[in-house]
Amino acid sequence: SSMTGFGLALDPSGKFATSPLVAGRVYASDYATPTPTVLTTAIFDMEAAYDDAASRPDSGAAFRDVGAGVISGKTFTPGVYSWATRVTF
């Protein structure tokens, strides 16, 4: 997939792009080294974190279906939360 309409400007280093519509930097797998390796590592780390969280039991009734899935503006205490519905921010 790709991002369009952001007016990306590639940095002279070729490692990232910027846009007035994005706070921070934009990275892509076809940018200069080491960006592809860093992105691959980030994806593996994300998958490991998801697998770890998915394998844990939730922290009890108070941590289930918080806000009926609407969690904008909520502050969460540490714990494993679960929802039976879609979650929106």
Side-chain angles (χ1 to χ4, degrees), residues 34-47:
T35 302
T37 301
V38 171
L39 289 174
T40 299
T41 300
I43 290 167
F44 287 141
D45 289 349
M46 177 194 63
E47 289 173 341

PDB file of all heavy atoms in Angstrom, residues 34-47:
ATOM      1  N   PRO A  34      19.728   2.571   6.479  1.00  0.00           N
ATOM      2  CA  PRO A  34      19.247   1.322   7.053  1.00  0.00           C
ATOM      3  C   PRO A  34      17.726   1.266   7.199  1.00  0.00           C
ATOM      4  O   PRO A  34      17.214   0.394   7.892  1.00  0.00           O
ATOM      5  CB  PRO A  34      19.903   1.295   8.419  1.00  0.00           C
ATOM      6  CG  PRO A  34      19.853   2.728   8.859  1.00  0.00           C
ATOM      7  CD  PRO A  34      20.095   3.506   7.559  1.00  0.00           C
ATOM      8  N   THR A  35      16.986   2.179   6.567  1.00  0.00           N
ATOM      9  CA  THR A  35      15.542   2.247   6.776  1.00  0.00           C
ATOM     10  C   THR A  35      14.824   0.916   6.548  1.00  0.00           C
ATOM     11  O   THR A  35      14.020   0.509   7.392  1.00  0.00           O
ATOM     12  CB  THR A  35      14.926   3.375   5.928  1.00  0.00           C
ATOM     13  OG1 THR A  35      15.553   4.607   6.298  1.00  0.00           O
ATOM     14  CG2 THR A  35      13.435   3.492   6.153  1.00  0.00           C
ATOM     15  N   PRO A  36      15.070   0.171   5.460  1.00  0.00           N
ATOM     16  CA  PRO A  36      14.355  -1.099   5.293  1.00  0.00           C
ATOM     17  C   PRO A  36      14.598  -2.082   6.437  1.00  0.00           C
ATOM     18  O   PRO A  36      13.666  -2.741   6.915  1.00  0.00           O
ATOM     19  CB  PRO A  36      14.892  -1.642   3.968  1.00  0.00           C
ATOM     20  CG  PRO A  36      15.347  -0.432   3.219  1.00  0.00           C
ATOM     21  CD  PRO A  36      15.879   0.485   4.289  1.00  0.00           C
ATOM     22  N   THR A  37      15.821  -2.165   6.916  1.00  0.00           N
ATOM     23  CA  THR A  37      16.148  -3.069   8.021  1.00  0.00           C
ATOM     24  C   THR A  37      15.466  -2.614   9.308  1.00  0.00           C
ATOM     25  O   THR A  37      14.926  -3.441  10.055  1.00  0.00           O
ATOM     26  CB  THR A  37      17.673  -3.139   8.224  1.00  0.00           C
ATOM     27  OG1 THR A  37      18.261  -3.594   7.012  1.00  0.00           O
ATOM     28  CG2 THR A  37      18.050  -4.071   9.358  1.00  0.00           C
ATOM     29  N   VAL A  38      15.462  -1.318   9.562  1.00  0.00           N
ATOM     30  CA  VAL A  38      14.825  -0.779  10.768  1.00  0.00           C
ATOM     31  C   VAL A  38      13.315  -1.049  10.723  1.00  0.00           C
ATOM     32  O   VAL A  38      12.716  -1.436  11.729  1.00  0.00           O
ATOM     33  CB  VAL A  38      15.123   0.725  10.921  1.00  0.00           C
ATOM     34  CG1 VAL A  38      14.314   1.348  12.036  1.00  0.00           C
ATOM     35  CG2 VAL A  38      16.611   0.944  11.159  1.00  0.00           C
ATOM     36  N   LEU A  39      12.694  -0.872   9.555  1.00  0.00           N
ATOM     37  CA  LEU A  39      11.263  -1.146   9.430  1.00  0.00           C
ATOM     38  C   LEU A  39      10.955  -2.624   9.635  1.00  0.00           C
ATOM     39  O   LEU A  39       9.975  -2.986  10.292  1.00  0.00           O
ATOM     40  CB  LEU A  39      10.751  -0.694   8.062  1.00  0.00           C
ATOM     41  CG  LEU A  39      10.662   0.819   7.851  1.00  0.00           C
ATOM     42  CD1 LEU A  39      10.279   1.128   6.409  1.00  0.00           C
ATOM     43  CD2 LEU A  39       9.663   1.442   8.802  1.00  0.00           C
ATOM     44  N   THR A  40      11.792  -3.499   9.086  1.00  0.00           N
ATOM     45  CA  THR A  40      11.598  -4.937   9.267  1.00  0.00           C
ATOM     46  C   THR A  40      11.692  -5.308  10.745  1.00  0.00           C
ATOM     47  O   THR A  40      10.863  -6.064  11.265  1.00  0.00           O
ATOM     48  CB  THR A  40      12.619  -5.736   8.438  1.00  0.00           C
ATOM     49  OG1 THR A  40      12.427  -5.416   7.053  1.00  0.00           O
ATOM     50  CG2 THR A  40      12.478  -7.226   8.647  1.00  0.00           C
ATOM     51  N   THR A  41      12.666  -4.756  11.444  1.00  0.00           N
ATOM     52  CA  THR A  41      12.811  -5.000  12.876  1.00  0.00           C
ATOM     53  C   THR A  41      11.587  -4.497  13.631  1.00  0.00           C
ATOM     54  O   THR A  41      11.077  -5.184  14.525  1.00  0.00           O
ATOM     55  CB  THR A  41      14.093  -4.330  13.409  1.00  0.00           C
ATOM     56  OG1 THR A  41      15.208  -4.870  12.712  1.00  0.00           O
ATOM     57  CG2 THR A  41      14.248  -4.540  14.908  1.00  0.00           C
ATOM     58  N   ALA A  42      11.090  -3.319  13.262  1.00  0.00           N
ATOM     59  CA  ALA A  42       9.908  -2.762  13.925  1.00  0.00           C
ATOM     60  C   ALA A  42       8.691  -3.667  13.723  1.00  0.00           C
ATOM     61  O   ALA A  42       7.905  -3.882  14.652  1.00  0.00           O
ATOM     62  CB  ALA A  42       9.626  -1.361  13.400  1.00  0.00           C
ATOM     63  N   ILE A  43       8.537  -4.222  12.523  1.00  0.00           N
ATOM     64  CA  ILE A  43       7.408  -5.119  12.253  1.00  0.00           C
ATOM     65  C   ILE A  43       7.520  -6.382  13.089  1.00  0.00           C
ATOM     66  O   ILE A  43       6.539  -6.830  13.699  1.00  0.00           O
ATOM     67  CB  ILE A  43       7.325  -5.445  10.748  1.00  0.00           C
ATOM     68  CG1 ILE A  43       6.882  -4.198   9.985  1.00  0.00           C
ATOM     69  CG2 ILE A  43       6.376  -6.615  10.489  1.00  0.00           C
ATOM     70  CD1 ILE A  43       7.061  -4.300   8.491  1.00  0.00           C
ATOM     71  N   PHE A  44       8.713  -6.971  13.164  1.00  0.00           N
ATOM     72  CA  PHE A  44       8.898  -8.171  13.988  1.00  0.00           C
ATOM     73  C   PHE A  44       8.626  -7.872  15.462  1.00  0.00           C
ATOM     74  O   PHE A  44       8.014  -8.678  16.167  1.00  0.00           O
ATOM     75  CB  PHE A  44      10.294  -8.761  13.804  1.00  0.00           C
ATOM     76  CG  PHE A  44      10.495  -9.456  12.490  1.00  0.00           C
ATOM     77  CD1 PHE A  44      11.697  -9.337  11.817  1.00  0.00           C
ATOM     78  CD2 PHE A  44       9.503 -10.239  11.908  1.00  0.00           C
ATOM     79  CE1 PHE A  44      11.902  -9.977  10.599  1.00  0.00           C
ATOM     80  CE2 PHE A  44       9.687 -10.892  10.696  1.00  0.00           C
ATOM     81  CZ  PHE A  44      10.898 -10.757  10.042  1.00  0.00           C
ATOM     82  N   ASP A  45       9.086  -6.708  15.937  1.00  0.00           N
ATOM     83  CA  ASP A  45       8.848  -6.323  17.330  1.00  0.00           C
ATOM     84  C   ASP A  45       7.355  -6.134  17.593  1.00  0.00           C
ATOM     85  O   ASP A  45       6.842  -6.526  18.649  1.00  0.00           O
ATOM     86  CB  ASP A  45       9.603  -5.045  17.678  1.00  0.00           C
ATOM     87  CG  ASP A  45      11.103  -5.240  17.759  1.00  0.00           C
ATOM     88  OD1 ASP A  45      11.573  -6.401  17.754  1.00  0.00           O
ATOM     89  OD2 ASP A  45      11.828  -4.216  17.802  1.00  0.00           O
ATOM     90  N   MET A  46       6.637  -5.522  16.635  1.00  0.00           N
ATOM     91  CA  MET A  46       5.203  -5.326  16.773  1.00  0.00           C
ATOM     92  C   MET A  46       4.483  -6.672  16.835  1.00  0.00           C
ATOM     93  O   MET A  46       3.599  -6.882  17.667  1.00  0.00           O
ATOM     94  CB  MET A  46       4.665  -4.509  15.606  1.00  0.00           C
ATOM     95  CG  MET A  46       3.160  -4.321  15.620  1.00  0.00           C
ATOM     96  SD  MET A  46       2.509  -3.702  14.062  1.00  0.00           S
ATOM     97  CE  MET A  46       2.922  -5.035  12.949  1.00  0.00           C
ATOM     98  N   GLU A  47       4.869  -7.601  15.968  1.00  0.00           N
ATOM     99  CA  GLU A  47       4.257  -8.929  15.973  1.00  0.00           C
ATOM    100  C   GLU A  47       4.520  -9.659  17.293  1.00  0.00           C
ATOM    101  O   GLU A  47       3.617 -10.302  17.843  1.00  0.00           O
ATOM    102  CB  GLU A  47       4.781  -9.759  14.802  1.00  0.00           C
ATOM    103  CG  GLU A  47       4.273  -9.284  13.464  1.00  0.00           C
ATOM    104  CD  GLU A  47       4.915 -10.003  12.288  1.00  0.00           C
ATOM    105  OE1 GLU A  47       6.000 -10.620  12.459  1.00  0.00           O
ATOM    106  OE2 GLU A  47       4.343  -9.954  11.197  1.00  0.00           O
TER     107      GLU A  47
END
